[in-house]
Amino acid sequence: MVLIETSGSPESRSSLVCVDNLRGVSEVSLDFLKDRVKVRASCNGLLCCSSIPDKGVYYVCNPMTRDFKLLPRCRERPVTRFYPDGEATLVGLACDVSKNKFNVVLAGYHRTFGHRPDGTFICLIFDSDSNKWKKFVSHRDDHFTHMNKNQVVFVNGALHWLTGSCSYILALDLDFDVWRKISLPDEVSYGTGNRVYLLDSDGCLSLIQISDVWMNIWVMKDYEKEVWYMVDRVSLRCIRGLVPGIFPIAQTGECIFLATHKQVLVYHQKSRVWKEMYSVKNSASLPLWFSAYAFRSTIFPSD
């Protein structure tokens, strides 16, 4: 399903519209957090949210059961805050249902007070088992668009982000605390009208490549050898007018959810049918795709 963050005014607490392929559209409130928050990441039924009034305050919650955890503040001093605005460039949530645990990752460039940024990339990792943060530092020169930051994928024990240049995927291995690069299919060229997005497809990395009239769907079937397969090629002619502003948000083996400025569409791969699942009636200030997240409801087994 897809969760879309909506807010009536800057002062109001945000609510979520849930667009479910089977159950239709419903509204989910995060009022149980008793804070104004912004959704930063989604993984296996959990959401990571950051407080809007209190920078550096993070929650992990299950919006369906309304259970939540306020994460302890990490002990980074203000003089070594993230660059440029004190907010982490990348926020990732890794929920490992088999181990009944989760990790939150905050990563970004850092600038010592009074100095220019020097490429130092700080990574802070919260572990739900230890209830503590750990930190490691590296040097990187990666850049990320808004959609790159939103579309973080947890598979094979690692978090994955597509870089802004769409030249590779940056992966954080949570078992060994190391960054690595994953190459894209040779045929996926950025520019020349193509846009590329990273999604999870039933536990595998998936790339959606959109041009003026085609949507190509790639899935990494062999993670260790980095082998990609094109699993579908979809004509976009019947939604041609929407193509420049359409963004893939979530995917299953049977369908793909895509968001435009005011609509959520679903494409059924077997029947090759497009359907509108949701549309905004009022004049929303931000497009729906700006704050839309893939969501898979997974309730932890009781201890």
Side-chain angles (χ1 to χ4, degrees):
M1 60 184 92
V2 170
L3 285 182
I4 300 161
E5 202 168 19
T6 60
S7 181
S9 69
E11 292 76 35
S12 65
R13 289 188 181 146
S14 62
S15 61
L16 300 171
V17 172
C18 178
V19 183
D20 188 319
N21 191 32
L22 299 174
R23 299 175 193 86
V25 178
S26 57
E27 193 166 308
V28 178
S29 174
L30 298 179
D31 59 359
F32 58 90
L33 295 178
K34 296 184 168 48
D35 193 355
R36 283 195 301 120
V37 297
K38 175 181 177 358
V39 176
R40 300 300 301 269
S42 166
C43 182
N44 285 336
L46 299 185
L47 298 177
C48 177
C49 304
S50 62
S51 171
I52 293 171
D54 295 320
K55 272 190 181 178
V57 171
Y58 287 86
Y59 303 87
V60 171
C61 68
N62 184 326
M64 300 306 173
T65 63
R66 299 168 73 85
D67 293 321
F68 72 94
K69 178 175 180 60
L70 170 63
L71 302 190
R73 278 185 180 266
C74 53
R75 294 180 178 177
E76 284 296 289
R77 293 172 299 164
V79 291
T80 58
R81 278 198 182 135
F82 290 116
Y83 173 82
D85 58 1
E87 294 268 330
T89 302
L90 303 178
V91 178
L93 173 63
C95 171
D96 191 329
V97 180
S98 64
K99 296 178 183 174
N100 219 24
K101 65 171 283 187
F102 67 83
N103 296 102
V104 172
V105 170
L106 307 179
Y109 292 97
H110 131 106
R111 179 175 68 173
T112 307
F113 187 73
H115 291 74
R116 299 175 77 174
D118 59 3
T120 303
F121 200 65
I122 293 180
C123 184
L124 302 165
I125 304 175
F126 175 80
D127 185 290
S128 64
D129 283 347
S130 66
N131 199 40
K132 289 179 179 171
W133 293 88
K134 59 183 174 179
K135 169 183 167 183
F136 75 96
V137 178
S138 57
H139 285 267
R140 309 212 58 83
D141 59 357
D142 312 297
H143 298 281
F144 304 89
T145 67
H146 176 82
M147 289 301 285
N148 293 156
K149 296 174 192 177
N150 273 13
Q151 297 187 321
V152 50
V153 175
F154 175 61
V155 298
N156 288 81
L159 286 164
H160 303 79
W161 290 268
L162 186 63
T163 53
S165 61
C166 291
S167 50
Y168 56 89
I169 294 165
L170 184 65
L172 174 61
D173 187 318
L174 290 167
D175 291 326
F176 300 100
D177 296 348
V178 291
W179 295 101
R180 72 184 187 97
K181 294 180 178 180
I182 295 176
S183 56
L184 305 188
D186 293 338
E187 298 88 343
V188 176
S189 58
Y190 193 64
T192 64
N194 284 339
R195 296 181 285 131
V196 187
Y197 301 94
L198 182 67
L199 297 181
D200 172 349
S201 177
D202 295 332
C204 296
L205 287 178
S206 174
L207 285 172
I208 309 280
Q209 181 186 18
I210 293 180
S211 66
D212 290 342
V213 290
W214 292 102
M215 178 168 67
N216 296 334
I217 303 163
W218 299 80
V219 172
M220 182 178 274
K221 294 287 179 71
D222 190 325
Y223 187 81
E224 298 305 319
K225 295 179 181 175
E226 297 185 10
V227 178
W228 294 92
Y229 292 92
M230 190 197 288
V231 296
D232 204 355
R233 182 169 166 83
V234 181
S235 171
L236 300 178
R237 290 186 190 281
C238 61
I239 59 159
R240 198 165 195 168
L242 298 174
V243 171
I246 200 165
F247 295 83
I249 304 298
Q251 182 180 18
T252 69
E254 288 130 29
C255 59
I256 301 170
F257 290 91
L258 304 100
T260 67
H261 196 105
K262 295 193 173 188
Q263 297 165 289
V264 174
L265 307 177
V266 63
Y267 174 74
H268 294 274
Q269 289 174 267
K270 283 184 182 171
S271 62
R272 300 201 169 267
V273 170
W274 292 87
K275 286 183 183 174
E276 181 188 278
M277 292 289 294
Y278 174 72
S279 67
V280 180
K281 301 298 182 283
N282 59 4
S283 56
S285 56
L286 289 173
L288 292 181
W289 54 260
F290 193 83
S291 54
Y293 298 85
F295 186 78
R296 179 177 284 116
S297 186
T298 306
I299 307 299
F300 273 14
S302 55
D303 292 332

